Amino acid sequence: DNLLARGQREFAAGLFKDCIRSLEKYVDEYSYSKDVVKAYAMLVESYYQLGYTEKSVKTIETMVDLFPHDEQTGFALIRL
């Protein structure tokens, strides 16, 4: 979970490219973690902040598939 904490710090600092690197790795390595939905939500916003609209939308679609009832998914959908 070090990657998640690092990604959160990078996100809070506005270091979105670094955040994406950390969180993509986190999602790959810890896909079954209870906190993975948080990582997806931060990825959505990081992609959006950098103008990567298509990646943001695809990540939201993944969240809808994997976590349809999670609050974070609802917030991500609002971002659309």
Side-chain angles (χ1 to χ4, degrees):
D1 286 49
N2 249 350
L3 287 169
L4 181 62
R6 183 186 325 153
Q8 289 173 315
R9 285 191 305 275
E10 292 162 343
F11 183 85
L15 302 171
F16 298 116
K17 286 184 179 182
D18 294 332
C19 175
I20 288 168
R21 249 188 316 274
S22 297
L23 294 179
E24 284 179 344
K25 189 170 182 180
Y26 178 82
V27 167
D28 286 343
E29 293 182 16
Y30 301 99
S31 61
Y32 294 103
S33 167
K34 65 179 176 58
D35 293 321
V36 75
V37 69
K38 292 178 193 175
Y40 277 115
M42 285 186 285
L43 281 169
V44 166
E45 186 61 22
S46 295
Y47 292 142
Y48 180 83
Q49 290 297 323
L50 293 173
Y52 302 157
T53 307
E54 188 174 324
K55 280 189 167 193
S56 186
V57 170
K58 286 185 184 297
T59 304
I60 292 169
E61 290 171 352
T62 299
M63 290 177 74
V64 170
D65 289 343
L66 296 176
F67 315 105
H69 303 292
D70 194 282
E71 182 178 78
Q72 295 289 331
T73 301
F75 291 140
L77 283 168
I78 290 169
R79 184 46 133 165
L80 266 178

